[in-house]
């Protein structure tokens, strides 16, 4: 983050899929962002199969749409979401993806906003 409240957020996630329910939960990835002050990019989505194979999901398949909250609270009309159906995800796979959000304008000029990020590794 920069002192003016702009900056980059890179989310690199690896998830081990251990049940069909989790596979359904991650079958469509969502990336939310405020279009008035940021841009968002899905950089890659990969499914690593137990046999060593890999299936890439083309990021061009992502659909951009207004966030669900805009229907109930129109004041958030700049909140957008990108939805990407993940190809070939099943129990036993590892899902790896990376999202990049660029904060182009401070949410509150003269203020620096940030997030606390926790790192964890679950075996």
């Amino acid at each position: 983050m920069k002192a003016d409240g702009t900056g980059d957020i890179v989310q690199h996630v690896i998830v081990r899929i251990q049940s069909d329910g989790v596979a359904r939960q991650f079958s469509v990835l969502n990336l939310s962002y405020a279009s008035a002050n940021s841009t968002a990019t899905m950089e890659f989505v990969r499914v690593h199969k137990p046999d060593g194979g890999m299936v890439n999901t083309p990021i061009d398949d992502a659909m951009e749409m207004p966030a669900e909250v805009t229907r109930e609270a129109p004041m958030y009309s700049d909140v957008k979401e990108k939805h990407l159906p993940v190809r070939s995800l099943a129990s036993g796979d590892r899902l790896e993806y990376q999202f990049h959000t660029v904060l182009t304008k401070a949410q509150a000029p003269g203020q620096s906003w940030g997030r606390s990020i926790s790192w964890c590794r679950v075996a």
Side-chain angles (χ1 to χ4, degrees):
M1 300 299 286
K2 297 177 187 167
D4 65 358
T6 62
D8 293 87
I9 300 169
V10 176
Q11 298 171 288
H12 184 157
V13 178
I14 300 173
V15 180
R16 184 180 304 158
I17 307 299
Q18 296 183 326
S19 71
D20 292 337
V22 173
R24 281 190 299 278
Q25 179 182 350
F26 284 93
S27 66
V28 177
L29 296 177
N30 298 316
L31 173 58
S32 297
Y33 65 99
S35 63
N37 63 356
S38 60
T39 60
T41 306
M42 294 178 159
E43 295 187 336
F44 62 81
V45 176
R46 303 176 185 134
V47 174
H48 300 273
K49 296 296 190 178
D51 66 1
M54 184 172 64
V55 178
N56 286 304
T57 297
I59 56 172
D60 294 338
D61 290 353
M63 298 170 283
E64 185 173 22
M65 58 189 64
E68 187 174 333
V69 70
T70 62
R71 288 184 220 117
E72 297 177 23
M75 66 200 83
Y76 295 108
S77 62
D78 71 323
V79 179
K80 308 284 186 208
E81 291 181 344
K82 291 188 179 186
H83 295 249
L84 181 63
V86 178
R87 291 189 178 176
S88 188
L89 187 62
S91 181
D93 294 342
R94 278 185 311 119
L95 171 62
E96 179 183 18
Y97 61 90
Q98 185 164 303
F99 295 164
H100 184 196
T101 304
V102 178
L103 305 172
T104 56
K105 187 169 92 175
Q107 292 177 339
Q111 303 287 321
S112 180
W113 293 45
R115 298 182 197 195
S116 173
I117 298 177
S118 299
W119 296 95
C120 68
R121 180 183 171 115
V122 179

